Amino acid sequence: MGKSTVFNALTGMHQHTGNWSGKTVSNAVGTFSRGQKTYTITDIPGTYSLSSLSAEEEVARDFICFGNADVTIVVCDAGCLERNMNLALQILEITPKVVLCINLIDEAEKKGIFVDTQALSKNLGVPVIKSSARYKKGLNELIDQIDTASKNLNAYTVRYSQEIENAVNMLEMPVGNALDGKINERFVSLKLLCQDESFLASMKTYLGVDMLQYDAVKDAYNQAQKYLLEAGYTKELISDHITSKIYKDAEKICGGAMTNRKNYTERQLKTDILLTRRLTGIPVMLLLLCAVFYITISGANVISDYLSGIFDILELRLSSLLLGLGAPAAVHDAIVYGIYRVLSWVVSVMLPPMAIFFPMFTLLEDLGYLPRVAFNLDNAFYKCRSCGKQALTMAMGFGCNAVGVTGCRIIDSPRERLIAIITNVFVPCNGRFPMLITIITMFFTAASPFSGLVSAVILTAFIVFGICATFLVSFILSKTVLKGVPSSLVLELPPFRKPQVGKVIVRSVFDRTLFVLGRAVAVAAPTGLVLWLLANISISDVSILDHITGFLDPVGRVLGLDGIILTAFILGLPANEIVLPIIIMAYTSSSVLTGYDTLSSLHTLLVENGWTILTALNVMVFTLFHWPCSTTIITIKKETASVKWALISVLVPALCGILICLLNNFIFTFIL
Amino acid sequence: MQQKSLLSLDIGKTYILSHVDLQGALRHRILDLGFTEGAEIKCLFKAQSGSPLAFLIRGSVIALRKADAEKIFVL
């Protein structure tokens, strides 16, 4: 509906927006000023209603009910006003201080849907404005109406059947006494009648009020329930009636205030059929993925070459500067060969693919393509006893696994959510796939005249392999530690929307670039230094690094890797971007440093250190399947509120990696 | 009269929703999306395996699995 877009337009912030429900899973706070006044505004996750809830919708409901906001802005999609009116009417049950913001109005008017805001406003008793937040239209009016709404005392109230109204009357008085004006008593009474456990639990958390502890409330509650039961209202029927009645009112209110034209056009339908049909659905998906990789790889090559050229020159400058300052050789070497080299490596090799991949992926997301992928893959997930929305969280994992893990809040069933969390690392994040690209290019495609294309195909195949592993592991988990049957899928397929190409590119390059640079400095630089120290401080004539890698070497060999690679993966725990630089640093630390700015000299270095095709393959496997980075592990612990699941999330991919590497070794040794 | 579930709708034809025979949280969610009595509904397309199915209801497209669609009925 574009809440985050409205939020960004008002505050000038850059909350990520996407064209699918569930993009925003937690609150974000921003401010904006107008004249003398400063407004604080909170962007909350989208929700269909205040009563049927997944984890991220609970965040939204709790803020609406207990956040003590002065004004609530309800952002609706003009294209499906009726359904959004359902939510708006529920919010009006809590507070009349509401502005109804009918967003995406441009898009709707193009389809022939016109909304009469005056009629709506008159019916609802709250200010109603039209906006098109993407194009910054209607925002001034929105701000004007915020002040009006903050003084609003009365709004439209949905009236239910006589029986339910009678029951509400019985409850309202004692409930009101118990609440002391903290929250609307009619709303709480209705929630009591529906026996909304989750809401009552939140009341305890936020208001410290346990409604049924009050004798007067309890008596009235029992009396009201008894009355309703005698009138034929079971628990289910009460909430059914309430939902249906709200919708009936929504229909009436919207019907009188808008021209009812089709929101879903023939063209949309044709596209959807193309994207989901048997013969075209999956191939289109793979082609898109492959195309995105191809553009990423070819584009990144150009930028990488350019950047490493610059870094070479800068290295000479830095070196002569340090020597000129009279720095001792050890300090000079530690800074130049330790910190600087790792840093420039991360930036010149890792950054370009990220900077290209991320905006392209964001474009697909903006377009509304991702839910179609979830639609296509749902039956496979169903067979693995998990949820099709897992495809959405996997897609987010391409950007960052920690984000993917948080995104798993959109999955309703706790069991399926855990499966999605544990398997999220099977999608290579932005920090890992540049490493995959580098290895693929060096060992598998460098000789080919169509190197970029072949690399893209191999990478796609590898990603598909990761997806297959996701299915398999999801299935195994469902049969073992997370036993259960698949629940349901309720997936909204949003209308396709023209992405804001320029904005997406600028924003994601800018945000990503800064983010990755920051992380590189924060993690890669000190790691580079530590590594240099490890390699240059000796205990009984052997460097500490050699001690460590020597110790891990037998384990590494069994896996078809070596001690240094394994050490690199362990040291790379804080950020996967630095695994490959660490490997290179370790290999070069003992020998004379040669230029390794180009891939072919890097290839030579690796081969000199014993890399074969098998090593390359196993490193790729281990890149995809090892342990999540520390940020992701911390996120998993937070999201699952359990050390156990965080531990399992570390063990499962590690175990997969070890098994696949062993299998590779076996195949290469005994079969090939 | 034989009840007609969402599984057996002709694709592209508009029907009027009658009732939802699901329980618990899912029922709640489905109703909240506007699958209430009297709503117009149309089956748009199906995934290759027949599940999930995409429905147009109240201006938005909602995909449901076969097992759930089977328990929602039209007039």
Side-chain angles (χ1 to χ4, degrees):
Chain A
M1 268 134 264
K3 285 169 296 299
S4 298
T5 315
V6 171
F7 176 84
N8 288 344
L10 284 173
T11 60
M13 285 171 69
H14 307 294
Q15 274 284 99
H16 282 286
T17 56
N19 180 15
W20 49 282
S21 43
K23 173 68 187 175
T24 309
V25 292
S26 56
N27 293 341
V29 182
T31 57
F32 63 93
S33 301
R34 208 217 211 178
Q36 300 292 314
K37 279 190 190 166
T38 302
Y39 301 79
T40 304
I41 174 167
T42 306
D43 182 25
I44 59 181
T47 179
Y48 294 121
S49 107
L50 296 178
S51 53
S52 58
L53 301 160
S54 55
E56 103 271 12
E57 288 181 309
E58 220 165 281
V59 175
R61 181 206 57 200
D62 285 347
F63 195 85
I64 295 171
C65 296
F66 310 112
N68 289 321
D70 298 315
V71 170
T72 307
I73 301 172
V74 181
V75 182
C76 296
D77 174 355
C80 53
L81 199 54
E82 214 170 82
R83 201 189 67 203
N84 295 167
M85 194 56 69
N86 166 49
L87 176 66
L89 290 177
Q90 291 182 45
I91 292 174
L92 288 180
E93 290 188 326
I94 303 177
T95 168
K97 299 183 196 314
V98 166
V99 183
L100 195 69
C101 170
I102 301 182
N103 197 31
L104 300 168
I105 194 75
D106 287 17
E107 206 174 287
E109 287 181 354
K110 261 185 220 151
K111 290 175 187 158
I113 301 172
F114 293 92
V115 182
D116 180 351
T117 47
Q118 278 185 338
L120 276 182
S121 180
K122 199 167 150 242
N123 280 332
L124 291 171
V126 299
V128 179
I129 62 113
K130 290 191 229 186
S131 75
S132 184
R134 282 173 68 160
Y135 307 105
K136 309 231 184 305
K137 284 188 202 159
L139 297 174
N140 278 326
E141 217 187 332
L142 173 60
I143 300 174
D144 289 340
Q145 296 303 335
I146 289 174
D147 289 344
T148 319
S150 70
K151 297 175 200 107
N152 201 15
L153 294 176
N154 285 302
Y156 184 89
T157 313
V158 181
R159 295 287 163 198
Y160 301 104
S161 69
Q162 196 53 52
E163 292 82 3
I164 289 183
E165 288 298 334
N166 288 343
V168 169
N169 281 340
M170 292 177 199
L171 275 166
E172 241 175 341
M173 181 91 127
V175 166
N177 289 339
L179 285 171
D180 199 19
K182 278 180 207 146
I183 175 173
N184 186 308
E185 59 260 26
R186 179 179 164 87
F187 183 74
V188 175
S189 304
L190 283 165
K191 286 286 171 197
L192 275 169
L193 290 178
C194 296
Q195 301 173 41
D196 187 333
E197 308 284 346
S198 147
F199 177 79
L200 296 175
S202 282
M203 276 188 75
K204 259 186 243 176
T205 315
Y206 291 92
L207 302 178
V209 181
D210 183 354
M211 289 315 293
L212 294 176
Q213 287 261 302
Y214 296 90
D215 289 336
V217 175
K218 181 133 199 166
D219 288 346
Y221 172 77
N222 288 336
Q223 198 192 339
Q225 290 289 8
K226 191 167 159 249
Y227 164 76
L228 280 177
L229 206 59
E230 276 165 10
Y233 280 87
T234 57
K235 174 187 166 193
E236 206 139 70
L237 206 62
I238 298 170
S239 62
D240 276 14
H241 172 80
I242 289 176
T243 314
S244 311
K245 183 63 176 43
I246 295 175
Y247 258 110
K248 281 220 176 76
D249 285 19
E251 270 169 37
K252 212 170 62 203
I253 291 168
C254 294
M258 62 190 284
T259 53
N260 206 1
R261 291 286 279 280
K262 275 181 202 151
N263 183 39
Y264 188 77
T265 58
E266 278 303 309
R267 210 168 118 218
Q268 295 251 24
L269 180 63
K270 279 195 185 126
T271 320
D272 259 333
I273 287 174
L274 176 77
L275 293 179
T276 56
R277 213 179 22 203
R278 179 193 295 270
L279 282 173
T280 48
I282 302 281
V284 166
M285 191 179 88
L286 292 177
L287 271 177
L288 274 173
L289 197 62
C290 198
V292 167
F293 286 141
Y294 176 64
I295 299 172
T296 304
I297 292 170
S298 357
N301 269 338
V302 178
I303 306 179
S304 277
D305 286 349
Y306 179 71
L307 282 178
S308 58
I310 295 178
F311 280 122
D312 272 355
I313 299 168
L314 285 180
E315 183 178 316
L316 289 175
R317 292 261 173 87
L318 179 68
S319 176
S320 52
L321 177 75
L322 286 171
L323 292 175
L325 287 173
V331 174
H332 167 270
D333 291 359
I335 293 178
V336 176
Y337 302 138
I339 299 176
Y340 181 81
R341 284 238 162 134
V342 174
L343 209 59
S344 57
W345 228 94
V346 170
V347 176
S348 66
V349 175
M350 301 285 158
L351 189 67
M354 299 177 201
I356 300 177
F357 178 80
F358 198 76
M360 282 205 294
F361 207 76
T362 313
L363 287 180
L364 280 184
E365 189 182 339
D366 263 22
L367 193 68
Y369 179 62
L370 298 187
R372 274 77 189 177
V373 174
F375 184 87
N376 283 337
L377 295 182
D378 178 67
N379 204 44
F381 279 112
Y382 174 79
K383 288 194 173 128
C384 302
R385 294 163 159 67
S386 58
C387 178
K389 285 188 188 170
Q390 198 170 330
L392 294 174
T393 63
M394 286 162 70
M396 277 187 278
F398 273 116
C400 166
N401 291 126
V403 173
V405 165
T406 314
C408 292
R409 289 180 189 175
I410 59 169
I411 297 173
D412 294 341
S413 141
R415 189 187 69 84
E416 288 163 9
R417 191 172 150 211
L418 273 173
I419 292 177
I421 289 177
I422 294 171
T423 55
N424 195 270
V425 284
F426 292 167
V427 175
C429 64
N430 239 324
R432 284 186 286 162
F433 80 87
M435 178 166 169
L436 292 174
I437 293 176
T438 311
I439 296 175
I440 290 174
T441 312
M442 278 191 301
F443 282 87
F444 299 99
T445 66
S448 160
F450 306 104
S451 170
L453 192 60
V454 182
S455 299
V457 173
I458 295 180
L459 185 56
T460 309
F462 206 67
I463 301 300
V464 171
F465 178 64
I467 295 172
C468 294
T470 304
F471 285 133
L472 185 68
V473 172
S474 300
F475 182 75
I476 294 172
L477 286 171
S478 297
K479 285 286 181 188
T480 52
V481 282
L482 285 164
K483 266 202 188 94
V485 289
S487 62
S488 50
L489 171 88
V490 180
L491 176 73
E492 183 174 357
L493 303 175
F496 294 108
R497 199 157 285 155
K498 208 174 95 205
Q500 297 167 282
V501 180
K503 197 176 153 203
V504 164
I505 291 176
V506 171
R507 283 283 26 118
S508 51
V509 169
F510 203 59
D511 288 355
R512 279 279 119 179
T513 308
L514 286 183
F515 178 74
V516 173
L517 274 180
R519 195 157 128 152
V521 173
V523 179
T527 314
L529 183 62
V530 168
L531 199 72
W532 188 88
L533 291 174
L534 289 180
N536 287 280
I537 299 174
S538 299
I539 299 172
S540 48
D541 281 339
V542 180
S543 73
I544 302 179
L545 186 64
D546 287 345
H547 276 296
I548 300 173
T549 57
F551 175 73
L552 288 174
D553 203 54
V555 187
R557 296 283 167 200
V558 174
L559 296 177
L561 308 168
D562 64 28
I564 286 178
I565 300 171
L566 211 53
T567 310
F569 273 109
I570 293 169
L571 289 177
L573 186 70
N576 285 298
E577 292 88 325
I578 60 174
V579 171
L580 199 53
I582 292 177
I583 293 176
I584 299 160
M585 287 280 301
Y587 283 148
T588 49
S589 66
S590 45
S591 49
V592 181
L593 282 157
T594 52
Y596 49 79
D597 49 321
T598 61
L599 285 183
S600 70
S601 56
L602 176 57
H603 182 233
T604 314
L605 173 77
L606 294 176
V607 171
E608 274 168 7
N609 281 279
W611 279 45
T612 59
I613 293 279
L614 176 64
T615 323
L617 193 64
N618 281 343
V619 170
M620 281 173 63
V621 166
F622 219 67
T623 306
L624 198 57
F625 306 94
H626 58 298
W627 33 82
C629 73
S630 51
T631 316
T632 307
I633 298 175
I634 293 167
T635 310
I636 294 175
K637 198 195 148 260
K638 213 160 54 190
E639 289 297 312
T640 59
S642 130
V643 178
K644 179 184 142 199
W645 290 115
L647 208 62
I648 290 181
S649 309
V650 173
L651 290 178
V652 167
L655 205 65
C656 288
I658 290 169
L659 283 177
I660 301 171
C661 284
L662 288 176
L663 186 70
N664 277 346
N665 282 357
F666 180 78
I667 294 173
F668 269 70
T669 322
F670 296 105
I671 299 178
L672 291 180
Chain B
M1 194 186 82
Q2 183 74 34
Q3 292 271 5
K4 199 176 175 74
S5 86
L6 290 194
L7 267 195
S8 48
L9 304 189
D10 295 335
I11 287 185
K13 205 171 139 193
T14 303
Y15 296 82
I16 302 292
L17 208 120
S18 127
H19 67 283
V20 174
D21 196 14
L22 293 158
Q23 309 307 320
L26 180 63
R27 174 191 186 84
H28 218 116
R29 153 109 339 154
I30 295 277
L31 288 175
D32 264 331
L33 283 170
F35 287 76
T36 55
E37 195 192 326
E40 286 187 2
I41 187 165
K42 184 154 93 172
C43 181
L44 295 172
F45 51 89
K46 300 175 185 180
Q48 42 191 314
S49 53
S51 171
L53 304 91
F55 299 98
L56 180 65
I57 185 153
R58 296 188 192 268
S60 56
V61 183
I62 306 286
L64 298 175
R65 281 180 174 166
K66 212 163 130 183
D68 302 325
E70 204 169 29
K71 293 184 181 139
I72 301 172
F73 298 92
V74 294
L75 289 177

